[in-house]
Amino acid sequence: MKTLRFILGDQLSHSISSLEGVDRQEDVVFMCEVHDEAIYVKHHKKKIAFLFSAMRHFAAELRDKNFKVDYLHLDDEKSHTSFTSALGNAIAQHNPDRVIVTHPGEYRVLKDLEAFAADSSIPIEIVDDTRFLCSIDHFHKWAEGRKSLRMEYFYREMRRKYHILMDGDHPEGGAWNYDSENRKPPKEDLSVPEAEGFEPDAITREVLDLVANRFSAHFGDLEPFDLAVTRKQALTVLRRFISDKLPLFGDFQDAMVQGEPVMFHAKISFYLNCGLLNPKECIAAAEQAYHDGQTPLNAAEGFIRQILGWREYVRGVYWLNMPDYAHANYLEADRRLPAFYWTGETKLNCLRQCVLETKQNAYAHHIQRLMVLGNFALLAGIHPDEVNEWYLLVYADAYEWVEMPNVTGMILYADGGYLASKPYAAGGSYINKMSDYCSQCSYKVTVKNGPKACPFNYLYWDFIMRNREKLESNHRVGMMMKTLDRMGDQKRDAIRDDTKRFFREIGI
Ligand code: DLZ
């Protein structure tokens, strides 16, 4: 049976389920660069270049393995604007008996493919994405009957199921989670190992020219470009992380240092999320490093939890709750995203650094995303649509299945506590403790009110006052309510006035 095997841009794995049972003589692998995918949100230039280059390299590797590959370049004469029009044309051209595609990562693509399949004269089979360790069905069963979900319980089940960091039936070291050891502030003399970078080859150079010509109006710096674009390069990044950075990854997971955009993070999410790396091999590498005595348990466990726990959990939450999740706005946030999220032009040094690094690298590490950029959006009450769009387009590892639960659930508490147990709201002192940003800021983090005060300080309390009714029932915010009640009217008025003035100044 002649099969057209359709591979999407985030499915660049040689073991992808759509290639199972492939007949290299007869079947055709189809891949396409399409304009709509680059512009449905105006992705960061570096993200488009990264993905197109990785797709082209992947297609070349398949050809080397004697697969028949039909690859549509964006600048081909016969190029198509959407997946479904490109697929329709490929079916007409190759005349297959059926199409197989691995379950896409985004709801809108799934719906398009299902609509296409309903009208198609040949079967369009959408098969499970077996790269994930928890299937969509299994997650549904796990979540059934639970009112709110907690990652920690899901993670424990995954540890048991895959026997990762287990000592018989017990967690290695006696605890499931070593996060309390993973919150060290940065030290003065912290030396961060250099990140791995790769010189662009001819394929990447061609893509860089294409992106420079076609997407010049998109956000972000295209060059310098030194990302891994092949599995081999991505494996080098993983190996270097395990040997050089993992031992301190746990300790300094939440630390931020000006001029150190990656710190001790792996920066492998780009490669994991497009398929160049497989979650199982990343988990196995960290577990092995622990068993070999090369890395401490708090680091190995923290890293594994991100992949085996959090990553699988957010995917489950996404598919369980779409399409409704896209409209969640529990706190009724309605402000526009401030212009400085695009320009970096703000007097708040922490936000300036995080935006500028995002612009340069299409990357920021998780605590920059959550506790600086995200915390500000939460406190200021920015509409979830605006925040979701920004995160989806600026980060090269962002696809909606991973971006939306992180933004809507974790960052904005827009699902009312379904995914996370509390809003991740913090004043300036948290940022000051975990970074060196405040010492180089125009505002004073120790001042609570007035034009010199760090805006995070009064925005925090204004957020608590504004959302009091909606947050009161959350026992993890209870302490804050008591502190608020002890403040006098004068203090509360000063907080409200400072907030209004600040919003006016930044035009939101
Ligand atoms: C992000 C992206 C971009 C910019 N371009 C393409 C493309 O031209 N072709 C493609 O197959 N995939 C692209 N992607 C990734 C897709 O958006 C991603 O595969 C879907 O959102 C998953 O549902």
Side-chain angles (χ1 to χ4, degrees):
M1 186 189 277
K2 180 172 177 178
T3 305
L4 188 74
R5 295 172 185 273
F6 184 23
I7 296 186
L8 303 175
D10 56 352
Q11 298 180 344
L12 309 181
S13 312
H14 289 272
S15 58
I16 192 81
S17 54
S18 55
L19 287 181
E20 248 167 56
V22 64
D23 179 339
R24 291 180 206 203
Q25 307 298 318
E26 194 168 39
D27 296 351
V28 176
V29 174
F30 177 59
M31 298 176 70
C32 54
E33 295 167 9
V34 289
H35 196 246
D36 284 1
E37 286 307 299
I39 60 151
Y40 80 93
V41 292
K42 292 172 90 185
H43 292 294
H44 194 300
K45 294 189 201 79
K46 202 163 263 174
K47 178 177 190 176
I48 303 175
F50 162 65
L51 218 61
F52 283 8
S53 177
M55 285 172 69
R56 290 182 187 195
H57 281 92
F58 183 73
E61 286 172 15
L62 290 181
R63 284 199 187 98
D64 286 347
K65 287 165 79 178
N66 295 323
F67 285 85
K68 282 189 198 157
V69 180
D70 178 8
Y71 187 101
L72 264 190
H73 293 77
L74 192 79
D75 45 4
D76 277 349
E77 261 175 36
K78 52 176 187 159
S79 85
H80 285 260
T81 54
S82 72
F83 280 144
T84 47
S85 75
L87 180 59
N89 194 62
I91 292 171
Q93 195 187 331
H94 299 291
N95 200 22
D97 299 306
R98 61 173 181 169
V99 172
I100 294 189
V101 56
T102 293
H103 193 289
E106 300 200 348
Y107 183 83
R108 86 196 145 82
V109 179
L110 177 68
K111 290 295 132 186
D112 284 352
L113 286 174
E114 285 174 350
F116 181 87
D119 284 344
S120 168
S121 56
I122 58 164
I124 312 288
E125 295 172 23
I126 300 174
V127 294
D128 280 358
D129 191 338
T130 51
R131 296 171 300 175
F132 288 93
L133 288 106
C134 180
S135 70
I136 294 172
D137 281 351
H138 185 87
F139 192 86
H140 277 225
K141 284 191 194 110
W142 176 78
E144 225 159 42
R146 292 173 202 248
K147 224 166 138 197
S148 62
L149 306 181
R150 288 295 164 259
M151 192 280 291
E152 190 61 35
Y153 301 115
F154 169 77
Y155 166 59
R156 290 177 192 181
E157 192 179 305
M158 295 293 281
R159 288 264 298 274
R160 283 197 196 95
K161 181 172 175 187
Y162 287 96
H163 206 78
I164 308 281
L165 287 182
M166 295 297 291
D167 179 5
D169 291 339
H170 301 286
E172 185 73 31
W176 291 102
N177 181 321
Y178 293 88
D179 238 9
S180 56
E181 295 174 32
N182 289 357
R183 295 190 190 115
K184 292 203 175 66
K187 289 190 293 205
E188 288 259 304
D189 54 349
L190 204 57
S191 135
V192 180
E194 213 181 306
E196 195 70 50
F198 303 88
E199 198 55 34
D201 64 2
I203 292 177
T204 301
R205 288 247 65 96
E206 213 172 273
V207 167
L208 290 171
D209 288 345
L210 171 80
V211 174
N213 287 329
R214 295 284 294 268
F215 303 106
S216 60
H218 285 212
F219 174 76
D221 300 349
L222 183 57
E223 302 209 43
F225 185 97
D226 66 354
L227 299 173
V229 289
T230 63
R231 172 161 170 77
K232 195 169 166 221
Q233 291 175 340
L235 279 170
T236 307
V237 176
L238 174 64
R239 265 195 303 272
R240 278 283 302 271
F241 165 71
I242 298 285
S243 64
D244 299 359
K245 290 192 171 185
L246 181 59
L248 287 179
F249 164 78
D251 287 4
F252 297 111
Q253 198 173 282
D254 290 358
M256 299 173 279
V257 172
Q258 188 151 331
E260 289 290 355
V262 186
M263 294 294 291
F264 291 90
H265 291 267
K267 210 184 168 192
I268 56 164
S269 48
F270 292 16
Y271 315 124
L272 258 176
N273 293 353
C274 79
L276 294 182
L277 291 176
N278 184 295
K280 282 186 196 139
E281 71 195 347
C282 300
I283 293 167
E287 191 179 21
Q288 193 60 48
Y290 165 69
H291 288 307
D292 291 347
Q294 288 163 6
T295 218
L297 185 55
N298 68 310
E301 187 282 313
F303 176 76
I304 287 171
R305 179 156 24 92
Q306 295 309 315
I307 300 177
L308 182 66
W310 189 250
R311 185 171 184 272
E312 298 286 331
Y313 175 72
V314 295
R315 179 187 185 243
V317 165
Y318 176 76
W319 286 109
L320 187 61
N321 293 287
M322 283 301 279
D324 296 347
Y325 209 68
H327 308 295
N329 188 3
Y330 176 68
L331 299 178
E332 297 173 78
D334 60 358
R335 286 182 197 282
R336 303 283 321 267
L337 193 74
F340 65 71
Y341 274 77
W342 304 109
T343 61
E345 286 168 19
T346 163
K347 288 194 293 173
L348 281 114
N349 186 45
C350 55
L351 283 162
R352 185 167 65 242
Q353 296 307 321
C354 294
V355 170
L356 291 179
E357 287 177 2
T358 298
K359 187 168 166 285
Q360 276 164 18
N361 307 321
Y363 174 82
H365 68 68
H366 92 110
I367 214 72
Q368 294 176 307
R369 294 191 206 193
L370 178 65
M371 295 311 293
V372 179
L373 297 157
N375 184 25
F376 184 88
L378 170 70
L379 299 185
I382 312 297
H383 194 287
D385 287 353
E386 300 248 325
V387 188
N388 271 299
E389 185 182 2
W390 188 82
Y391 275 85
L392 184 57
L393 77 86
V394 301
Y395 293 117
D397 50 20
Y399 303 90
E400 203 180 72
W401 67 265
V402 60
E403 170 277 319
M404 188 177 283
N406 272 300
V407 168
T408 290
M410 180 86 172
I411 289 178
L412 297 180
Y413 201 70
D415 63 2
Y418 172 78
L419 172 134
S421 54
K422 59 164 189 175
Y424 281 80
S429 60
Y430 173 85
I431 295 170
N432 190 33
K433 181 175 153 213
M434 297 311 300
S435 78
D436 64 355
Y437 293 145
C438 301
S439 59
Q440 298 167 72
C441 187
S442 317
Y443 295 105
K444 288 216 170 340
V445 68
T446 48
V447 180
K448 306 294 181 201
N449 283 102
K452 283 209 160 32
C454 166
F456 276 101
N457 290 339
Y458 47 80
L459 287 178
Y460 175 82
W461 288 111
D462 191 71
F463 166 79
I464 301 280
M465 284 194 274
R466 267 191 346 257
N467 295 294
R468 177 166 196 146
E469 270 180 34
K470 291 192 164 149
L471 298 179
E472 223 153 21
S473 58
N474 186 312
H475 68 278
R476 298 189 69 177
V477 195
M479 275 275 286
M480 295 303 140
M481 298 300 172
K482 285 193 190 116
T483 311
L484 183 65
D485 289 340
R486 283 196 297 270
M487 286 177 188
D489 284 347
Q490 223 181 343
K491 171 79 177 166
R492 284 197 285 263
D493 285 347
I495 288 166
R496 286 194 195 96
D497 289 348
D498 283 337
T499 301
K500 271 193 213 131
R501 175 188 38 80
F502 178 72
F503 284 160
R504 238 189 347 263
E505 275 170 24
I506 62 168
I508 63 170

